[in-house]
Amino acid sequence: MRVLVTGGAGFVGSHVADRLVEAGHEVVVLDALIPQAHDGGQPPPWCGAHDLVRGDVRDAELLARLLRGVDVVAHQAAMVGHGLDPSDAPAFVTMNDIGTAVLLAAMHAAGVRRLVLAGSMVVYGEGRYRCPVHGAVRPGPRTPADLAAGRFEPPCPECGGDLAPELVAEDAPLDPRSTYAATKVAQEHLAAAWARQTGGSVWSLRYHNVYGPRMPRDTPYAGVASLFRSALARGEAPRVLEDGRQRRDFVHVADVAAANVRAVTTEPPVPGLCAVNVCSGEPHTIGELAETLAAAMGGPPPVIVGGARSGDVRHVVADPAKATALLGYRATTSFADGIARFAHDPMRAPAGTPLTGANVIDR
């Protein structure tokens, strides 16, 4: 098949492009290659084997040309990360939602009916919790007073009691807690509406905490694994927020790329949009990540600094069952092996001063 990979020079997108070629597909890579993301605006070395087109996913005329003969679009281009403050909102919405809307319109005009969307676990907000008295509950946002006092666990909204985190499945209510999360929910809704109107099909692959080679470094929008790795490379201790016991699912980028290849070649079981968690199935704490990476790099042990960022959630622990059942996807990289490799993996070098999120237009 011929596959257009948007954001295909970036972190996840470049691995997706590589795996698609290895699987025998014809790949066209679209990427803006903006200087804030790529040093000097030059293509990274890992793009040398691909048909790379420099351009913006919001350029409808360019998309019309690129979509000729395309069977599937793997839409990876996005502004990612937690963001700095509300001033980032226009950039997130423009890059993620308007970019997706322009792409979907161009796909409709070109008669392309298959989309694989880079979704995110951030659409869930907090994960799934169970109260021993009230059963499954959805806690509200944690209060600034609780966070300042070091009360990091969300209480039961009914009785205020302790909760136990559980696996969050794809049918959980969507509850975005940041601007980025809100744009990822909007992307899914836009794609679902497009599918209903056109008879198209969409996989939304809800990535959990992706890490691995080619990850961007030294940017306030980077993932936590990258921030810890950069600190250790400078000889500094990783600084862990809260108490370090926040639970996440860290999934290696090679496994994420494998999930994309399966989605490209598999029709969803139902019309419209089908969302699946793309995760490792091995939940670990943020503190454990910092400790494991510090040990692998021979660096100083992490420092617990308390506090929390606005919009941070406590636990998001993924249920991989649906991806396994529908896509035959299982992560093959263990946390121990993946972090040991990540300690020495090549990363995307810093490229100038960040400009309101512009350094993260691709994954």
Side-chain angles (χ1 to χ4, degrees), residues 142-166:
R142 298 176 294 172
T143 68
D146 281 345
L147 294 175
R151 294 188 292 268
F152 301 120
E153 296 290 342
C156 174
E158 301 293 334
C159 65
D162 294 338
L163 298 175
E166 296 185 331

Side-chain angles (χ1 to χ4, degrees), residues 234-249:
R234 298 191 298 267
E236 301 171 4
R239 294 171 58 82
V240 180
L241 296 179
E242 301 187 22
D243 57 4
R245 296 175 185 170
Q246 313 94 298
R247 299 176 73 205
R248 296 291 188 272
D249 189 310

Side-chain angles (χ1 to χ4, degrees), residues 204-294:
S204 181
L205 306 183
R206 291 177 178 169
Y207 302 162
H208 285 253
N209 290 69
V210 188
Y211 71 97
R214 308 177 188 171
M215 211 174 179
R217 51 169 289 198
D218 298 339
T219 157
Y221 301 86
V224 65
S226 174
L227 296 176
F228 290 165
R229 161 80 188 263
S230 295
L232 287 161
R234 298 191 298 267
E236 301 171 4
R239 294 171 58 82
V240 180
L241 296 179
E242 301 187 22
D243 57 4
R245 296 175 185 170
Q246 313 94 298
R247 299 176 73 205
R248 296 291 188 272
D249 189 310
F250 299 99
V251 58
H252 195 272
V253 68
D255 291 319
V256 173
N260 275 270
V261 173
R262 288 185 175 273
V264 162
T265 56
T266 305
E267 283 281 357
V270 294
L273 182 143
C274 183
V276 294
N277 289 324
V278 174
C279 56
S280 71
E282 291 186 37
H284 294 273
T285 68
I286 299 291
E288 186 179 356
L289 169 68
E291 291 168 358
T292 305
L293 190 56

Side-chain angles (χ1 to χ4, degrees), residues 2 63 71 82 88 107 112 114 126 153 158 191 230 242 293 300 315 322:
R2 183 174 175 86
L63 289 174
D71 300 293
H82 192 85
D88 280 332
M107 290 175 64
V112 180
R114 297 277 309 281
E126 285 287 353
E153 296 290 342
E158 301 293 334
S230 295
E242 301 187 22
L293 190 56
H315 304 295
K322 187 176 179 181

